[in-house]
Amino acid sequence: MLKLSCDVISDLLPLYYDDASTTDSRSLVEAHLKDCAACRSMLEKIHTEYRLDNMRQQHEETMLKNMVVFWNKSLLKSFLKGIYTASCILLLLSAVCVGLVRWPFVTVPPAAVLTDATVSGSEFVIHLKTTDGYKTISTDQLTTEDGKLFIFFKRGIIPVKSGHGTSRGGTYSASRMSVSDSGKAVRITEIYYGTQNNCRLLWK
């Protein structure tokens, strides 16, 4: 059988290890390895390097997979957090908007209300009607200890022409004897539309 030098065998060993050599070349390499410790050592070195390369490649693939999983989880977490934050902001804005429309914070000014008051026996008959086209939410009143009655409409900070509220207009009765906000019984001597700071005298 033809004997090959170690240089030739060293060139054939990678193909032999990968089982990519021809049958004749394989037979020649195996015959040489039986008698050559140096080439057997070289084959073992190839095996070790291949194993290390394979382990390194598997480690890199595992790291890459872990990075992809972590990235996907982070992306999903960020996406869900964004949806949650946006939903909270939207709900808060909706609540604020509803509050600005539905909560009676603002007194309808005297200039936007037609007013009239008459005395009928022991009661006052008060006629009120808004003229600005916006709806009102409630009618409130305040009686002071010196006998002044303040009656007024209230609406949200954002007035609306349709939707929640009432197109106020009607007749309201009040007894000439009333209870002040401090709990004291007083006789009404004056009637105003509006608040103490901004009002119109209806009857005195």
Side-chain angles (χ1 to χ4, degrees):
M1 180 180 287
L2 179 65
K3 290 190 176 181
L4 301 177
S5 66
C6 289
D7 290 338
V8 175
I9 294 298
S10 65
D11 291 337
L12 293 175
L13 282 178
L15 295 174
Y16 173 80
Y17 183 83
D18 290 335
D19 199 20
S21 60
T22 63
T23 303
D24 292 341
S25 296
R26 190 171 188 81
S27 298
L28 291 173
V29 170
E30 289 174 350
H32 182 88
L33 290 174
K34 288 179 181 178
D35 300 325
C36 183
C39 288
R40 287 198 302 272
S41 177
M42 186 178 297
L43 180 63
E44 182 62 28
K45 182 179 179 182
I46 291 174
H47 175 69
T48 302
E49 290 178 351
Y50 177 82
R51 185 174 59 196
L52 290 175
D53 286 343
N54 189 43
M55 290 175 60
R56 188 182 303 111
Q57 183 178 359
Q58 289 179 351
H59 179 66
E60 290 175 353
E61 289 177 354
T62 301
M63 287 183 60
L64 183 59
K65 288 179 181 179
N66 290 338
M67 288 176 63
V68 171
V69 171
F70 176 77
W71 171 258
N72 289 336
K73 286 183 177 179
S74 299
L75 191 62
L76 179 61
K77 186 177 180 180
S78 298
F79 178 71
L80 293 176
K81 185 176 180 181
I83 291 178
Y84 175 76
T85 303
S87 299
C88 290
I89 292 174
L90 183 61
L91 287 174
L92 179 61
L93 291 176
S94 299
V96 170
C97 289
V98 169
L100 293 176
V101 171
R102 291 176 175 253
W103 293 337
F105 284 128
V106 178
T107 300
V108 180
V113 180
L114 289 175
T115 59
D116 180 46
T118 58
V119 179
S120 176
S122 62
E123 290 188 340
F124 295 103
V125 179
I126 305 166
H127 305 281
L128 302 174
K129 185 176 182 180
T130 55
T131 59
D132 59 2
Y134 292 103
K135 292 194 170 187
T136 58
I137 298 172
S138 66
T139 304
D140 291 337
Q141 65 182 46
L142 167 70
T143 304
T144 62
E145 291 188 5
D146 57 357
K148 294 178 181 178
L149 171 64
F150 297 86
I151 185 168
F152 46 90
F153 291 141
K154 298 191 78 173
R155 60 170 55 130
I157 293 175
I158 301 176
V160 294
K161 293 187 175 182
S162 61
H164 181 72
T166 309
S167 298
R168 292 280 177 177
T171 302
Y172 304 88
S173 298
S175 173
R176 294 195 66 174
M177 289 302 296
S178 185
V179 179
S180 69
D181 280 20
S182 64
K184 181 181 178 181
V186 296
R187 183 176 178 80
I188 302 300
T189 58
E190 298 176 19
I191 301 177
Y192 295 86
Y193 172 83
T195 63
Q196 291 173 285
N197 297 326
N198 183 19
C199 58
R200 176 194 302 155
L201 179 65
L202 302 182
W203 178 87
K204 183 175 182 179

